[in-house]
Structures are given as structure tokens and as C-alpha cells.
Amino acid sequence: MGLSAADWINLAISLLMIVLAFIVGYVINKAIIRWVSRRKTPEFGEVLRKSIGPRITWLIVIPTSYFATIRLGFLSSGFKSLLADVYFILLILYITLIVWTLIDIAYEYYRQKFADEKRGEQLDPILLLLKRFSQIVVVAMAITILFAHFGINITALLAGLGILGLAFSLAAQDTLADAISGFVILIDQPYRIGDRIEIQDERTWGDVAEIGLRTTRIRTLDNRLVIVPNSIISNSQVVNYTFPDPRYRIQTHIHISYGSDIERIRRLIIETVRQVEGVLPDKPVESLYIEMGDSSMIFRVRWWLETYADTRSMFDQVHTALQEAFDANGIYIPYPIHTTKLEVDDKSAQNLSDVFEN
């Protein structure tokens, strides 16, 4: 082969360097897997070992092979340049594969985590979108690095892609705004599927039927499905009647005739409301004399119930019970009374008298 003794020694040293790189890569790989297993779980460490373990070893072997090659003096510069390009391509390829696989592992990990928290159906579209976007970015970066290494000018391509992206974003700005708002809603969770909410700016309320990337579907009490874009919801005030505590306090106003015993009325109201089925016994019932009306004393009655969904039926039960209690105890709810005083002079009085006589 025309090699001198020194060339054979250098070749042996280069081969030894590559072998040592395999050993070091194997040791580092095992150390990383053990560290991850202690931090997470042995199952997670086993997944990493099978998926990216060998590739981590090659990340050490490939650069070592490059240095082991360029130190060989008997190789031509053209061949060394060719090998350098091959090593560089392999290195970028392995790095891309490792990052791609880590993205897959992260996706499966969080997908399972959210599934255990009963949020899988809501967040799975978001996780899949993030996964695809991240992998596209990784591939784009790898291609850009390879083009730059081989001296290929991609400035015009990037400018064209930028203009195309700008045109797309302008054309689909409403859709993008809805998607971004949907992403924020799914992550922040101001409401969940099944929650009863009210979107005050839209005067819409009902039970959340579905939370999508672009819209939220709300089913009203009359069984109508209202589809609201997420961007509108994110810019509106949302009242959640279910989360974090579904218990709800409601109130009504009662007019009692003047002359009634205030404390007797107060006790009767509280005792009556407490006996109504559905009123929470561990929460206070309040009867407050809040206003002296034109023809009656006005009491504000407050009580708690288990969920906002029972509001209307609870008003019916409480009003019925109070009416029956007032009737049984001789307490009256007066009609509005207005007193009109009419002043007339003598001439007007005479004219009125003549009118009535005729």
C-alpha cells in the first residue's frame, strides 16, 4: 500500500481513537440513562435507551473519527475534504434524529400525563400541533445549516418564505387569532367541558360542550348550540358558575307591610328558607332589612345552593314556601299605595261641582 512505518502507527492510533470513542460514548450513554431513570422512572429511562441511546454514542464517535482522519498525512487533501463533508452530514443527521425523537418522547409523555388528569381530549390537538411545528423547525434548521456548510445561498429562499408567511398571516389573521386564543384557553383553563359559563359581552351563557382550537361550543338551557370564536371569548369577561366551587348564593327581595314585627319577620324568613330542600344547611341564610319603601319594608333574603343550575327551581321553591308561611302567620305583602293631594281654588271647585251635578 506504499505506507511507511510511521503511517501505519498513525493509522493504528486513529483506529484506537475511534474504538475509545465508542467506549466513552457507551459509558456516557449508560450514565445519562441511569441519571434519567433516577430523576423520572426506570420505564422512561428504558424508552430513552432504546430510542436515542445508540445515537448518543455516534455523536461522540463521528467527531472523533473526523479528527482521527485529518491527522493521517498519507491521505490526500481532496479525500480528507470529502470525508469531512460526510462526517458533517452524519453529525447533523444524528443530531436531528435525536431532537426529533426527544420531541416524540415529550409528546407521548405529556399526552399520557394529561390523559391521566382527564384533559387528554382537550389538549391533544394542541400537543400534536406543537409536536409537528417543533419537528418542522428542527428539519428546517438542519437543512439551513447544511446549505450554509456547502455554500448554498438561501437568502432569496428565506425572503420568499417570509413574504409568503406574511401574506398567509394577513389573509388568515382572524383564524390565527382564534387558534392562539384557543391555545391559551386550553392551557390556562378558565373553564372546562361541562362548566356552566356566561360570556357577558356576548350575552351568552350555558354549559360548555366542546373546546376547540378555533371555537368554543356552548349548549344553552333550551338545547341550542352556540358556537363562539375563541378570540371573542378571550376579549370578553367570562363568569364561571361551576369552577372552582359550584356552590352559589342567590337572593330575592320581599316587601312586608309596615307595622309588622321586624324580628318576627326576620326569624320566620330564615326558618322557612332553611327548611326548603336544596338550601345548603352549612351555609348562612340571611334576612336583611335593607330599605324603607314607599309602601312597604323591603327585606333582602340570601341563601346558598349546591349548583347554579338549580337557581330557577330554587326561586320557585323558596317563594312558594315564604308565601305559604306568610299566609299562615297573617303577614301581608302590600300593594303599592300612592296618595294624591289635589288643591283647587273656589272657582275651580264650583266648576267641578257643576260638572258632577249635571
Side-chain angles (χ1 to χ4, degrees), residues 204-221:
T204 297
W205 69 284
D207 298 327
V208 178
E210 182 181 345
I211 305 173
L213 270 180
R214 203 179 69 82
T215 61
T216 293
R217 290 168 169 79
I218 301 173
R219 189 171 299 280
T220 62
L221 292 186

Side-chain angles (χ1 to χ4, degrees), residues 342-356:
L342 180 63
E343 295 183 359
V344 297
D345 54 21
D346 293 341
K347 183 178 180 180
S348 299
Q350 182 62 41
N351 293 335
L352 286 174
S353 177
D354 295 339
V355 171
F356 286 117

Side-chain angles (χ1 to χ4, degrees), residues 159-173:
L161 292 176
I163 294 174
L164 181 63
L166 178 61
F168 175 77
S169 62
L170 290 176
Q173 56 182 342

Side-chain angles (χ1 to χ4, degrees), residues 313-333:
S313 62
M314 186 58 66
F315 274 128
D316 173 72
Q317 295 180 57
V318 169
H319 287 160
T320 301
L322 287 174
Q323 184 66 64
E324 293 175 350
F326 292 159
D327 292 344
N329 288 271
I331 298 172
Y332 300 101
I333 300 176

